[in-house]
Amino acid sequence: TPPLPHWAASARVTGPLAGFDVAATLQGEARAGRAAPQASASAHVTPFAALPVSAVQVRTTELDLRALSDRAPATRLQGELRLATTRPAALDVDLRNLAPAAWSDGGLPVASLVAHLEAPWSGEFIAIPALRLALADAKGSGGELRGHSRWEAGKAQVQVDLDQVQPARLDARLGAWRIAGPLRAEIDHLPAPASLWGGGAAAAPASAAAPAATLDGWSAHVTGRLAGSAPPPGPASHAVVPPPMALQLDAQLRADALQLKQFELKAGAA
């Protein structure tokens, strides 16, 4: 296994002790045929304030995860993460992969990720009001995933909408289909979000602190309505195109059991 590349780091602090800015830069050495990974971070620090760190930003340009580890996919990540230490705290993610590729080709089949996350410091809830994940490989778009979720007390709701997702674009070993439709999950008996804060549950409402901080006893109600179609074959192909498929799903999951209330798969026109 070849050694990992060397890294160069620098940091700068400017301003008075009452409120100063911190900036840091990290750059690795380029490897054969790959750009040098780069990342930078900045923040405003007010040591004597109730929230001492604010305006946190992390930027990356031409970041190749393969340069960090030979087991990681090859990427060209560009974009930024912005953390606002407001009430509630908010995290905005805007990343692009300039060279998406299928998992089977050693790449990351993601073209872009845009997401917004909110969480109060009490740990009362964690919410993702909006998430958009654009899928792609080196040949073109592989569809989109859009979703939102909320985890509060011992319950979580997750909604994901598939828009013309093409599994073969993600991995060449998967089927050449286009899949669209909504999936929804309602999960119960979770620990409170404050459990992630390591003892912060005391600051949350009593109802949120009640569940044990384990995943024992969780259950999930999953529903979905998916439609799938195969792309037409090329002009030189004599393959038979399978008919469109439609799936209606209603299932109850637990750690030790799966109950299918509805699993209806139809082929052809309804």
Side-chain angles (χ1 to χ4, degrees):
T1 302
L4 294 177
H6 294 94
W7 290 85
S10 63
R12 183 180 72 254
V13 179
T14 56
L17 181 60
F20 55 89
D21 295 314
V22 178
T25 302
L26 184 68
Q27 179 169 336
E29 62 182 1
R31 307 179 76 176
R34 303 170 189 165
Q38 299 179 7
S40 62
S42 62
H44 184 68
V45 181
T46 48
F48 309 111
L51 297 175
V53 180
S54 61
V56 179
Q57 287 190 328
V58 178
R59 293 187 178 91
T60 179
T61 303
E62 295 284 349
L63 178 59
D64 183 5
L65 297 180
R66 180 70 59 81
L68 303 177
S69 170
D70 285 330
R71 297 182 178 181
T75 61
R76 289 176 57 196
L77 297 180
Q78 180 172 305
E80 66 177 356
L81 286 76
R82 300 182 301 276
L83 175 63
T85 54
T86 51
R87 298 181 183 273
L91 173 66
D92 287 286
V93 180
D94 188 352
L95 290 175
R96 287 175 290 159
N97 182 12
L98 302 181
W103 288 115
S104 51
D105 293 331
L108 181 68
V110 172
S112 65
L113 170 64
V114 178
H116 177 74
L117 182 147
E118 297 177 350
W121 296 101
S122 65
E124 182 180 353
F125 68 86
I126 297 176
I128 303 178
L131 181 147
R132 176 181 173 271
L133 183 68
L135 306 171
D137 66 0
K139 299 176 181 178
S141 172
E144 285 189 5
L145 295 176
R146 295 184 293 272
H148 56 86
S149 64
R150 185 179 180 91
W151 175 18
E152 186 170 3
K155 298 184 178 182
Q157 297 86 36
V158 180
Q159 172 87 31
V160 177
D161 293 299
L162 289 74
D163 185 359
Q164 301 301 315
V165 171
Q166 302 178 54
R169 296 282 195 193
L170 311 183
D171 194 300
R173 294 162 291 193
L174 300 177
W177 286 82
R178 297 175 183 266
I179 303 173
L183 285 172
R184 179 176 175 83
E186 298 181 354
I187 310 169
D188 289 316
H189 307 297
L190 293 173
S195 63
L196 300 178
W197 274 249
S207 59
T214 69
L215 290 176
D216 296 339
W218 66 270
S219 65
H221 182 206
V222 180
T223 57
R225 187 177 68 256
L226 300 178
S229 61
S237 174
H238 300 286
V240 177
V241 179
M245 309 289 283
L247 172 65
Q248 291 271 4
L249 174 67
D250 189 336
Q252 192 76 32
L253 288 80
R254 299 195 305 270
D256 58 352
L258 166 62
Q259 179 185 4
L260 288 176
K261 299 180 179 179
Q262 181 183 18
F263 188 91
E264 185 178 347
L265 184 63
K266 294 182 178 180

